[in-house]
Amino acid sequence: MAPPWLDVLDETIGACVTHRRPDLEARLREKRAQQMDPKLRVLVIGETKQGKSQLVNALINAPVCAVGDDVTTTVPTFVQHSETPSAALVRNASSRSKIMNAPTERVAVPIEQVTKQVSTTHSGELVRAEIGIPRALLTSGLVLIDTPGVGDTRSAHTASTFATMMQADAVLMVSDATGELTATELALLKQIMSACPNVTVVVTKIDLVPHWRTVVERNRSHLARAGIPAKLLPVSATLRLRAAKTNDQVLNTESGFPELLACLQRDIVASADLLARRAVSVVASSAISQLVTPLREELTAHDSRQTEATISTLQEAQRRVDELRRRSARWQNVLNDEMADLISDVEYDLRDRTRKILREVDRTFDDADPAHGWEQFEQWLEDNLNEAATTNFAWLMERADWVAEKVAKNFPVYREDILPGSVLPEDLLDPVGKLEKPKIEPFTITQKLFTGLRGSYGGVLMFGLVTSLAGMPLINVVSLGAGALFGGKTIKDEADTRLKRRQAAAKAAAQKHVDDFFMKFSKDIRDAGRHIQRSLRNHFATLAEELQETLLESARSAKRAVQDDASQREQRQREARRELDKLVTLYKRVQALGGTAAMELSA
Amino acid sequence: MTLDHAVWSMLQEALAIYRDSPRASSWLRSHAERFTEPVRVAVAGVQGIGKSTAVNALIGDAFSPLPEFTWYRNGSTAAAQVVCGPRASEVPVTRRGSRVTVDIGQWDKIDRVVVDWPSRSLRDVVLIDTPASATPEQIFGDADAVLYLMRHLRDNDLQFLRSAHDHPIARVAAVNTVGVLARADEIGGGRIDALSSAKQISRRLRRDVQVQPLCQNVVQLAGLIAVAARTLREDEFVALRALASLGREELEDYLLSADRFVGPSFPVDLEASARQGLLDRFGLFGVRLCCALIRQGFDTTVKLTGQLVQRSGLGELRDSIAIHFVERREVLKARTALLGLDVVLRMEPRPAAFRLMADLERAVASAHDFRELRLVAALQGGRTKLPTELEAEAMRLIGAEGTTSLARLGFDYDAPADEQREVLLDALARWQGQASDPHLAHDHRRAAQIVVRSCEGMLTHLG
Ligand SMILES: Nc1nc2c(ncn2[C@@H]2O[C@H](COP(=O)(O)OP(=O)(O)OP(=O)(O)O)[C@@H](O)[C@H]2O)c(=O)[nH]1
Ligand SMILES: Nc1nc2c(ncn2[C@@H]2O[C@H](COP(=O)(O)OP(=O)(O)O)[C@@H](O)[C@H]2O)c(=O)[nH]1
Ligand SMILES: [Mg+2]
Ligand SMILES: [Mg+2]
């Protein structure tokens, strides 16, 4: 059965056809296609070896994610529906270019071999694995995403987990029953909650642990004490997989999976329908209002029965079209100026941050001996650069949102959808992967900001950042040894000069590292800025075209009113009134979809 | 002068210099005392990882865990005391079956509980069980060496291990930690080959570039099974044998999950409470393993215990303690004492102690034992590189596999002194050649010099 929002959307599309508005029609069709193929990202995360991959396998009863005793998962695996089983690896096209938006390539592999291929491909090259498999659970658009363990010492893994996290519609946090939730796990949960409130804690391996009920109880109180309103479900993947093999219903129930599946259906798939309805409601309302405007003007024109008044309406419409053209130059200027400012400010900010870090480095190595604690220093430097980049990027996003609002203010009319859903263009994240398509148009301002941020952290920030930094390790001034570092004439040197030279070398190494970082990351940031600017321009240009079309239509109908003779006039008037009534009814249904109190659309 | 003589006389000298400072002299006295005691080995790790269980496995008795620092040391009779500042009060120790309880009663604040216990395992070490609240400073302050329990290697494990090296002297002599991959029976989700899988993981961790400079070794341990094995009761053995009398397939469905194992329907005449008891003591994996072993013919208590102890990893853990801690007692004690001395010299600097300060620095920089250990770490961490076969020999000669001359020379039997000397002279000549070959890289030659020095040390011993 088609969901109710689909009927309403199709009727609205029909109305656009009737009223000869191909522009609106195209927009609604695009939305329709998006909504017909929704992606609900369910992210499976947790510390290493909690049974995340096995959980995904057990959910769909197929061994598509690699499971192992030692650290196994190094890149995310996306599992979604397809009519025939398929698998692909997405890799960096060239291992050299590690900048954001580096081209990736998608290589199909036989599904039976995907786990093996994932573990044998050099992890630096692999971006993710994609699995397509026919499963009822996935037909609603559910995408299960298996991720590398958080807190694993190879930090790039962790970062990519967070990257994916920020784009999730729901999160399954996996923690096995052999221990209670730890402070780190609780902290992670809190962090996730702030980005994606739909979180379920899955306690795995209950087959193995005699006192798993106590663990579950204690976990509940840990959650309560930490103020984390997450659901909690105990399961055993081992029992579930065995039940599937032996077709044992009782064992399947014991595995706890029926409840987990029900929870996925109820909380995730169902809530997705709500999101879809709201999104459709917003675009359809906007389209209908635009259809109504010319009709209304035509009716007023007829009502007045005054040719003069009608002529003035016609002039008015003409005037507004001109005004729109003039203003359109204005908003484009605003956009260009603001974005130019923004990019230079953000770059300045980044430079300032890196300078502060370097100053701190210099101060440190005025006294400290790099021979001691170089590792800690490297860690410190990496952390600080990461933090600088994160803050800098968050600021870019914030400013971009602000620019969007400022441009909107310079727009001749206000519409509900005047602000773009996200200032981040869709193709920023990944030019190839179709999984990266943003899903649902947001419906409130806060939602908009939230999605914008999600996008930012998800895509560019983490991927861009991690890859900017990856592969450029600091040289170790200590392990270089005296010879290489001091041109071979070390041995006779005084201890003190040796220290001085070591310090100078450390400073130089850090300086070079930070410079490299600045070069790469500031390029990423500039690219991101340009992308944003382009996508904002497209967004507002489309809006402007639609507006212009609406105004022109008003002018045309006013013209018709002037030209028509009396009987024709009456006939048209009746038609217009009927059409208007139809649109008003449709509008009410559209509003009801979104669950918002119906806004009056004056006829 | 050997390292321990040097350190001992430095302690004595410091005691003389700081005679008039009550704080410093009581600190120094406690260090002098500690210098002659057995090595203190603390068991550390996050809450619930199995520290108390590991301590029990090593001692061979099942002590009820206490939420305090608990020291177990060898004693002729069982006794326990609660220590709080300068005060120590006797508390009762009671034994019921294999369970031992120390009733510490109610206290506002406890520094530690000290248990004297007659056990062969405690002859050469004092074991310290640490509470969840213990800080790295407390742990590394009390102990000469540390067993660090972890599940897998996570960021916070590395953080803890690194905190041990925050002090410059500690860094120079980073010699006192063995990593333990704990709860080995849960690896692989309790699959029957869990323990061999755990062994492979610990082997990988041992070679991990991040772990090598921090841990002398990494071993696996299924503490729960080791304790159950060392305290196996007759009634438990009878119950396990009854289980094993059933075929593998017949039992399989009932061993699928812990819930099923204690469920109401069961094919063997065994009370649910008895089954629950087995589960508590052995874990589900342990029950599966015992059944498999009994079926394989390890069907007496002695045979079964032997297999369980060996497979649980307890054997390897003991070896590791022996090689890295007990045999290195002198170095570890010297290291602790030097750290203790350093504290005094920094906290209460005075002109009379300047020479001592220089001596301390020299001792740290030049002690051959530390040099050996540093070279072990450098070779393991790849900071110093030697050709593969030379590296293996160098590691052996500088004592990475044990510090007795037999271990260093690679004998796996008790070779007579003549035979040893012959092998030694051969090695010495080879390494002297390496040490003086001008074509070799500088750090290669330096490594060779240290090996030569180790060989010369052995030569004096063999006479
Ligand atoms: N007994 C039992 N074992 C399980 C269960 N789920 C997973 N395991 C085992 O736990 C181990 C780890 O499982 P994985 O799925 O690889 O864990 P992961 O969290 O994906 O691990 P990484 O990706 O390496 O972080 C494997 O040996 C699994 O067989 C379960 O429900 N019961
Ligand atoms: N399965 C399994 N359980 C263990 C093991 N070691 C300890 N445990 C259990 O883990 C829990 C905590 O152990 P304990 O030794 O008190 O941990 P501590 O807090 O680190 O001292 C207890 O229920 C033990 O029975 C082990 O090797 N395997
Ligand atoms: Mg995995
Ligand atoms: Mg304990």
Side-chain angles (χ1 to χ4, degrees), chain A residues 74-359:
Chain A
T74 53
V75 293
T77 300
F78 290 64
V79 182
Q80 57 183 327
H81 182 78
S82 79
E83 292 306 327
T84 51
S86 66
L89 301 182
V90 178
R91 303 189 305 212
N92 282 321
S94 70
S95 53
R96 287 301 315 139
S97 72
K98 294 204 156 171
I99 49 164
M100 180 190 65
N101 268 341
T104 52
E105 58 186 9
R106 210 164 162 277
V107 189
V109 293
I111 193 164
E112 318 76 56
Q113 279 178 29
V114 67
T115 55
K116 202 166 135 243
Q117 298 252 2
V118 164
S119 30
T120 48
T121 310
H122 181 51
S123 70
E125 290 168 15
L126 205 57
V127 177
R128 63 165 179 272
E130 296 178 355
I131 308 286
I133 193 163
R135 286 292 182 275
L137 170 70
L138 305 176
T139 47
S140 52
L142 211 63
V143 184
L144 295 171
I145 308 172
D146 182 26
T147 62
V150 176
D152 178 27
T153 52
R154 282 163 268 185
S155 58
H157 296 183
T158 304
S160 67
T161 302
F162 280 100
T164 336
M165 177 177 104
M166 297 298 175
Q167 302 175 355
D169 295 292
V171 171
L172 298 181
M173 161 89 183
V174 179
S175 170
D176 73 27
T178 65
E180 295 165 26
L181 285 168
T182 62
T184 3
E185 286 178 310
L186 288 168
L188 176 63
L189 267 167
K190 277 207 161 145
Q191 204 177 339
I192 299 167
M193 275 294 197
S194 66
C196 170
N198 195 348
V199 178
T200 306
V201 177
V202 183
V203 177
T204 54
K205 307 191 191 172
I206 60 168
D207 58 305
L208 182 64
V209 179
H211 54 275
W212 64 266
R213 289 181 182 82
T214 325
V215 175
V216 166
E217 273 324 301
R218 296 189 53 100
N219 280 349
R220 275 192 221 287
S221 46
H222 287 316
L223 288 176
R225 209 165 321 127
I228 301 169
K231 297 170 293 284
L232 197 147
L233 285 174
V235 301
S236 160
T238 306
L239 295 187
R240 157 90 168 173
L241 287 169
R242 192 183 158 89
K245 213 180 275 165
T246 55
N247 204 1
D248 183 339
Q249 282 309 314
V250 182
L251 194 59
N252 190 37
T253 312
E254 283 174 33
S255 79
F257 272 75
E259 264 158 83
L260 178 58
L261 289 165
C263 163
L264 280 176
Q265 284 294 342
R266 195 174 53 234
D267 296 344
I268 298 168
V269 178
S271 73
D273 184 59
L274 178 66
L275 291 186
R277 283 186 353 231
R278 287 186 182 162
V280 165
S281 163
V282 171
V283 280
S285 313
S286 151
I288 297 173
S289 329
Q290 292 183 68
L291 296 179
V292 164
T293 318
L295 278 179
R296 226 162 31 197
E297 291 186 355
E298 194 178 340
L299 281 171
T300 353
H302 285 300
D303 283 347
S304 71
R305 287 167 200 276
Q306 300 257 329
T307 316
E308 268 154 61
T310 314
I311 288 172
S312 82
T313 314
L314 181 57
Q315 284 166 342
E316 168 67 11
Q318 207 60 54
R319 194 189 59 73
R320 279 166 62 191
V321 171
D322 293 343
E323 159 90 7
L324 180 63
R325 290 212 175 101
R326 217 179 41 251
R327 287 251 215 149
S328 135
R330 192 186 306 164
W331 70 254
Q332 292 202 8
N333 286 340
V334 171
L335 177 62
N336 290 342
D337 293 351
E338 291 293 337
M339 285 306 290
D341 282 356
L342 180 154
I343 291 175
S344 83
D345 286 358
V346 168
E347 195 168 319
Y348 178 83
D349 174 74
L350 184 67
R351 191 180 296 281
D352 188 46
R353 282 175 203 279
T354 49
R355 249 191 224 129
K356 281 198 186 114
I357 293 173
L358 277 178
R359 221 172 296 139

Side-chain angles (χ1 to χ4, degrees), chain B residues 343-365:
Chain B
V343 170
V344 173
L345 296 179
R346 273 170 206 273
M347 297 282 287
E348 299 187 19
R350 46 173 80 178
F354 283 171
R355 204 176 55 82
L356 199 53
M357 218 178 248
D359 285 349
L360 177 83
E361 266 172 31
R362 202 170 324 111
V364 171

